[in-house]
Amino acid sequence: MSTETGAAVVVGADGSASSLAAVRAAAADAVERSRPLRIVHAFIWAELSGPDGGIVYGPHDTRMRADAQRILATSLVEAEKAAPGARATTALVDGNPAPVLLSESRNAALLVIGDRGLDGFRSLLLGSVALHLTTHAACPVLVVRGRENATGPIIVGVDGSAGSASAIGFAIEQAARRKTGLTAVRAWDALDVWGQKDTMPLVSEPGDLEAEEHRVLSESLAGWGQRYPEVTIQPEIVRGRPAAVLIEQSQNAQLLVTGDRGRGGFAGLLLGSVTQTVLHHADCPVAVVRSGRATG
């Protein structure tokens, strides 16, 4: 991820209602960070091939390119309406959405996508594109879904891993910019604290387990209050499955932030079911932050 002050907030645009919501969120974030906004449409012209495998050019290609340019123009207007003063530019890039946006992420401060789209973004969260982007993007990825809530807190899932440490940094920066509070949630399940039920120690008092959860949460948050005194940090220990806990917390949040790979209940976050479940069912936008990629 680029840490230069000029790194843009990049948003994928395909003309769907979901992508327009992503454009609005990206424009607001760009203005809050005083960063440029780059609106990108991935144009899948390579699928228009002839019998010999060559690309077919002509009126159909020209018409599709004109439609793509209209999508970008509409998205630009939406961005300027949502965040006056946004320094927005558009780009029509040949290629499939996943590789195009992954390439864009290498020089981006944040990559923003909608939850369901058209064309290359069809069934975004039901197939491999979103998982691929959240797993491999070189910057944090914001998936815009659910309803807008400008007054709720930022929620961050904490498990003591490097990924969750990056997520805390991203979440508290967002809370400071949005002038709201941060709720740091540590979800735990006594039957699955170690990630494998059959390896749980035979002697474990519930009180001892909960005390350990408080210790991990406290250590994870150490120092952040001094760095961001303007942000009220609310630590919460919640007993339950991480995905279910985070989804419930999202109902009153304006943003839910998770790390990439965790320990305990968050084990295999981007490779297993937790992130997929959260991305499907969270009631607010979800930001996925990979380890070491929280700066924005």
Side-chain angles (χ1 to χ4, degrees):
M1 179 192 67
S2 174
T3 57
E4 298 177 3
T5 57
V9 173
V10 175
V11 58
D14 68 356
S16 66
S18 176
S19 89
L20 290 177
V23 166
R24 291 192 293 271
D29 189 90
V31 169
E32 288 171 358
R33 302 187 193 211
S34 298
R35 289 186 179 278
L37 172 68
R38 180 172 165 85
I39 305 171
V40 177
H41 178 75
F43 185 65
I44 316 176
W45 57 271
E47 292 185 356
L48 303 176
S49 59
D52 59 354
I55 303 304
V56 176
Y57 294 100
H60 187 61
D61 177 73
T62 302
R63 185 167 58 251
M64 290 187 69
R65 285 188 181 276
D67 289 341
Q69 292 291 0
R70 279 192 288 272
I71 288 173
L72 287 173
T74 299
S75 299
L76 181 61
V77 170
E78 194 75 14
E80 293 171 342
K81 285 167 49 180
R87 295 179 288 137
T89 58
T90 63
L92 180 60
V93 183
D94 291 340
N96 290 296
V100 164
L101 294 178
L102 283 178
S103 178
E104 292 284 336
S105 76
R106 297 187 188 110
N107 296 306
L110 177 70
L111 176 61
V112 186
I113 54 177
D115 64 341
R116 302 176 194 275
L118 303 172
D119 301 324
F121 287 91
R122 185 178 290 114
S123 299
L124 182 63
L125 294 183
L126 303 179
S128 62
V129 176
L131 183 60
H132 195 67
L133 291 174
T134 52
T135 303
H136 299 293
C139 67
V141 178
L142 173 62
V143 180
V144 177
R145 58 159 295 110
R147 50 61 201 135
E148 296 181 8
N149 178 3
T151 61
I154 306 295
I155 304 295
V156 61
V158 179
D159 69 354
S161 68
S164 119
S166 295
I168 293 170
F170 180 90
I172 199 165
E173 288 175 2
Q174 286 284 328
R177 278 192 289 267
R178 300 183 187 206
K179 297 180 171 56
T180 190
L182 175 69
T183 301
V185 179
R186 168 78 174 173
W188 71 290
D189 185 338
L191 295 180
D192 200 17
V193 170
W194 290 271
Q196 299 290 333
K197 297 178 180 63
D198 57 358
T199 60
M200 193 173 80
L202 296 177
V203 181
S204 296
E205 294 296 330
D208 293 338
L209 294 176
E210 187 165 359
E212 175 64 12
E213 301 305 312
H214 280 281
R215 183 192 66 77
V216 171
L217 182 56
S218 177
E219 289 183 357
S220 297
L221 297 176
W224 287 110
Q226 287 73 29
R227 292 178 60 182
Y228 292 87
E230 71 275 26
V231 177
T232 299
I233 302 175
Q234 176 65 42
E236 287 194 12
I237 300 288
V238 183
R239 187 167 178 176
R241 295 290 184 176
V245 168
L246 292 178
I247 289 168
E248 182 178 1
Q249 291 277 341
S250 76
Q251 294 174 7
N252 298 310
Q254 60 177 288
L255 176 66
L256 172 62
V257 183
T258 69
D260 57 346
R261 292 180 175 85
R263 294 198 294 260
F266 285 86
L269 185 61
L270 288 182
L271 303 177
S273 63
V274 176
T275 287
Q276 293 183 53
T277 302
V278 168
L279 289 173
H280 275 294
H281 300 294
D283 200 35
C284 69
V286 178
V288 179
V289 184
R290 296 179 63 204
S291 177
R293 290 169 169 81
T295 338

